[in-house]
Structures are given as structure tokens and as C-alpha cells.
Amino acid sequence: MTTYADAPVPAPPGISPGDVADASRLVSFGLQPKLLPARDAEYGELVRRYRDDPAFARLADAVGTGLGLIVLEVSPRAGMAVAAAEDSVFAVRLGDYSRRAASESTDRFLHGLAHLAVAALAFPRPEDLADDGYLGRITVNGVDTFVRQVCRRLEDRADAEGANTDPVSDAPGLEVAWRVYARRSATGATKDARRLSGSTIGIVGKAMAFLVDSGFLQKTSDDSGGTFRTTARYQLQVRDLAGSAAMSELLALGVVPVSDGSASLLPPDPTEELVADAGLPFFSRPSTEI
């Protein structure tokens, strides 16, 4: 008597060239950071197929892996959100970006600090980062104000510890950063009132422009040096960043409380001269993303 266990196992359906083409097409859509499934019918259909067809999903993941990509999420809100592995041809390293954005090595360091601050302010609480419906709204002037608050907190800590001297080589990264940032002019406006690219406001503005080009932020107005809102892709990227040592060190300063869900920022120091409209970032929780 033939049992079920003895019955021949049917071979899985073969993968057709069309399936490979569709999976590759989905990955190609994922590499267009500003494109969303809601705005392209083909993209939307491929996202639905990925979510409904496990075999197709595994194929698309394999295509991404072969290209050195990590699939963070595939959903109607984010499309195929991918991150490049370090050895991927699609990897855009912060060092490469900062070398294009700045000629001085100290400026490259400040660009990295600006990106860290944007991420911290965009999602100041763990629940904000975990909530798929959450959108952060941040401003260029607000980010600069926030970093200067961090600089004051680090300076106060150094004074209290009697260590307000040049840091030793093994000091935490932010201990070095605050000294450079605090000494840099916020605006350094030119004769025609434009901000200098090497000013801290100029550096933050470049960082946000880069994030817009990468599909991570959307500009909503020119208020406060530029006002932006986050995208689903940026939320996914920051979730990966949240466990980094630099982010942990920044949050540990207590400038952005995150432990009790009542995120707030320290009030600006009234003795410090800040740029005009240096309002702190604000946040909202809309029901849909346009």
C-alpha cells in the first residue's frame, strides 16, 4: 500500500524568464527612491505580487541580494525599500558624500554630525520610529539649534569633569564634534545675504538636500531655513541606524528624552545668539502620506 509519505513529491513550478524579469523590474523600482507604488501602476502591481506570492518574493529578494542590496520592506507605503550593503556598487558612503560636499576634513566631520542630528530629531521617541503612520517634520534652523544644544550639554559635562581641554584620542566621537561645531559660525552670510556653504546652517542645508535627493525627506516650505517631512523610506533607514553607537551616545545626553515617551527639547539658551526663526522641529501624526 502506497502511503502519502511514499508518494512522489511534485516538482515546484519552474521559474520563467518572465518571473526573473518581473523580480528585477521590482528591484529597479526600489532603486528609484522618490517613486512610490501609488504613483505607478506597474510598481503597485509588482508590490502586490511580492506580498501575495512567496515564491516571487524569494526571487525578488535573491535578485536584490545578488546586487548587494538589503530589502528593508516591501509595502504600498514604502515600495521596495532597499539599503546597499557596504560592498555593493550602489552603496553611497557618508565619506563619499561629505568629500563631494566639503573640501575640508573638519567640514566632512560636521556633515556626519548634521546627518546624525537630523535622524535623532526626525524620530525622537522609540514609538515614533516604530509607528508606520508617523511623519516627522524638521527644519534646517531647528537642527542647527539642536546641535548647538548638544554642544552646550557636552561643554557643561566637560567643565563638570574638569576636562574642558582638547579631548584625548580615545574620547567619544561627540566629545570631539562639539568643539568644532560650537566654534563654527551659524550663518556666515555673504554680501548678498546668502549663507556660506561652510557655515553650520549651510552644512545642515546640504545634508537635508542630500536626503531629499535620496527620497528620505520631502521639502514642504522655505520656512526656518527650509522645512521638511520624513518619508517611509527614511523611517526604515533610521530604524537601522538607531542601534548605532553614535546615535546611542547622542540620545544618552538627555537632550532628546526618549525613555518615558514625552519627547521634548531643551529650551534654547537666551544668552546665545541664534539665527532668525531658529525654531525647534515640530512633529505630527497625519493619517496619510501625500
Side-chain angles (χ1 to χ4, degrees):
M1 180 177 178
T2 302
T3 65
Y4 179 78
D6 296 328
V9 177
I15 299 174
S16 71
D19 293 331
V20 177
D22 287 345
S24 301
R25 181 69 170 158
L26 177 57
V27 174
S28 74
F29 280 128
L31 291 169
Q32 301 176 57
K34 295 184 179 181
L35 183 62
L36 294 175
R39 298 174 183 170
D40 188 286
E42 182 185 5
Y43 192 6
E45 179 56 36
L46 289 172
V47 167
R48 282 189 291 273
R49 183 178 176 188
Y50 181 99
R51 293 167 67 84
D52 296 339
D53 184 348
F56 179 73
R58 289 193 297 271
L59 178 59
D61 289 346
V63 171
T65 299
L67 293 172
L69 300 172
I70 302 167
V71 178
L72 301 176
E73 178 177 299
V74 179
S75 67
R77 76 180 188 113
M80 180 173 239
V82 296
E86 291 186 3
D87 58 350
S88 172
V89 68
F90 298 104
V92 179
R93 295 173 176 80
L94 186 58
D96 297 334
Y97 149 74
S98 61
R99 276 191 291 273
R100 294 196 299 268
S103 57
E104 298 293 331
S105 59
T106 52
D107 284 5
R108 297 171 195 166
F109 190 72
L110 295 183
H111 276 278
L113 182 58
H115 276 276
L116 181 63
V118 170
L121 284 177
F123 306 99
R125 304 173 302 180
E127 54 264 43
D128 300 333
L129 198 55
D131 182 357
D132 288 347
Y134 183 88
L135 294 179
R137 283 184 166 85
I138 50 181
T139 68
V140 169
N141 292 353
V143 170
D144 183 66
T145 300
F146 167 67
V147 178
R148 291 186 180 278
Q149 288 184 10
V150 174
C151 291
R152 288 196 301 274
R153 177 62 63 90
L154 286 166
E155 184 173 16
D156 290 344
R157 188 171 72 181
D159 286 339
E161 296 174 353
N164 201 0
T165 58
D166 288 338
V168 295
S169 59
D170 61 349
L174 293 181
E175 290 285 2
V176 180
W178 73 262
R179 302 173 189 276
V180 181
Y181 201 101
R183 295 169 184 168
R184 184 66 60 90
S185 168
T187 56
T190 61
K191 293 181 180 179
D192 58 0
R194 289 177 297 140
R195 62 194 183 201
L196 290 174
S197 61
S199 68
T200 57
I201 288 288
I203 287 172
V204 172
K206 281 185 179 180
M208 289 194 173
F210 172 80
L211 292 173
V212 169
D213 290 340
S214 301
F216 296 144
L217 295 179
Q218 294 176 345
K219 187 172 184 178
T220 59
S221 77
D222 291 323
D223 296 341
S224 297
T227 299
F228 303 80
R229 68 180 179 188
T230 61
T231 66
R233 282 176 173 264
Y234 191 47
Q235 186 180 49
L236 294 169
Q237 292 284 341
V238 176
R239 282 176 185 171
D240 274 357
L241 173 66
S244 71
M247 180 68 81
S248 298
E249 186 183 348
L250 179 60
L251 296 179
L253 295 174
V255 181
V256 181
V258 296
S259 60
D260 61 358
S262 59
S264 61
L265 296 174
L266 296 175
D269 186 343
T271 64
E272 182 176 356
E273 183 178 353
L274 300 173
V275 296
D277 300 321
L280 294 173
F282 54 95
F283 307 92
S284 67
R285 193 183 303 273
S287 58
T288 59
E289 179 177 354
I290 300 175

